[in-house]
Amino acid sequence: MEICFVTADTLDNVWQEKMSAIGKSDVLVFGFNGLGLVSYKKELGGETEYFQDVARLSRQLSGVVVCGCDTDTYGVFRHSAVIADKGKILGVSDMAHAIDDSEFVAGGNFRVYDTSKGKIGLIIAEDLFFPESGRVLALCDADIIICLFKKLDGPMPQVMLRAGAFANGVSMALCAKNYAAVADIRGNMVLSGGGKIMKTKIKIEKDFHLISLRQRGLYRDFNSGY
């Protein structure tokens, strides 16, 4: 699977001026710079066509386009991402966890999208910091998990990316402002950098670790805390 990350440009600018740099990538990923703020009211009223632009671009590429955005649902703001495949919008995923005080609230559930290029799970922004996010998508048979992040502030996103890929046995990719990274199932970084447009090929591989737990004496189910 060939993935192209756009870390510092809008979907419209890339479509109009930089398609030669994208080539024939299987999956094109934009961070939150891709669409900016999307109003559902304006989308439904026909005033804007941001989501349709994502679908049209996926048709032109004959592949998958994933694009981060902030969504305004009649005054309720969420961090989100839209995914389209060969001209069809497959869905919109929202960040499922709200952290501290923020105008952005928690949204919908986790989902693995069955695309023409493989099964893609989406993690939105700070959901990456919660181990169960990657676990749920891996258990739903994701071939790769893609995280759309706003802007990196410290090393924690890279740490959680590597840990999630290793712990869940599935490659994980990150696209943020001016940064993209990919971690393989061994927890190694196979791509990491600040290029505006970055491309890499990812081998779809999975690993399921056999884990045993001591259950004699004082014991609590590992999952009981979730």
Side-chain angles (χ1 to χ4, degrees), residues 80-205:
S80 309
V82 58
I83 180 171
D85 183 19
K86 293 185 176 181
K88 179 181 179 181
I89 297 174
L90 300 183
V92 179
S93 290
D94 300 323
M95 187 171 74
H97 300 86
I99 302 178
D100 300 327
D101 294 328
S102 173
E103 64 176 320
F104 294 93
V105 302
N109 53 11
F110 297 105
R111 181 176 172 185
V112 173
Y113 296 90
D114 194 358
T115 78
S116 61
K117 306 301 180 182
K119 296 179 180 178
I120 298 176
L122 295 184
I123 289 179
I124 312 303
E126 281 78 8
D127 283 348
L128 180 63
F129 297 152
F130 296 83
E132 61 267 31
S133 303
R135 179 182 301 178
V136 166
L137 296 172
L139 290 174
C140 289
D141 203 28
D143 293 321
I144 185 171
I145 297 173
I146 298 176
C147 176
L148 286 303
F149 213 87
K150 273 275 189 175
K151 183 179 180 181
L152 300 192
D153 184 16
M156 192 54 63
Q158 296 98 317
V159 172
M160 296 303 295
L161 188 79
R162 297 177 68 178
F166 173 78
N168 296 305
V170 59
S171 295
M172 294 182 63
L174 173 71
C175 186
K177 184 177 181 180
N178 297 318
Y179 182 80
V182 176
D184 66 16
I185 63 174
R186 288 161 288 279
N188 299 320
M189 284 290 203
V190 297
L191 174 74
S192 177
K196 293 182 178 180
I197 296 179
M198 301 175 64
K199 299 173 71 173
T200 188
K201 289 186 178 181
I202 298 176
K203 179 182 178 182
I204 301 301
E205 53 181 348

Side-chain angles (χ1 to χ4, degrees), residues 32-99:
F32 282 84
N33 51 276
L35 292 181
L37 179 64
V38 179
S39 166
Y40 278 115
K41 180 179 180 180
K42 292 182 179 179
E43 286 285 292
L44 293 172
E47 297 179 53
T48 61
E49 294 186 342
Y50 289 118
F51 288 170
Q52 286 300 323
D53 284 344
V54 177
R56 294 184 186 109
L57 180 55
S58 72
R59 181 188 298 116
Q60 181 172 327
L61 289 174
S62 190
V64 178
V65 176
V66 181
C67 194
C69 58
D70 292 326
T71 53
D72 174 6
T73 309
Y74 296 90
V76 178
F77 296 93
R78 296 184 175 93
H79 296 313
S80 309
V82 58
I83 180 171
D85 183 19
K86 293 185 176 181
K88 179 181 179 181
I89 297 174
L90 300 183
V92 179
S93 290
D94 300 323
M95 187 171 74
H97 300 86
I99 302 178

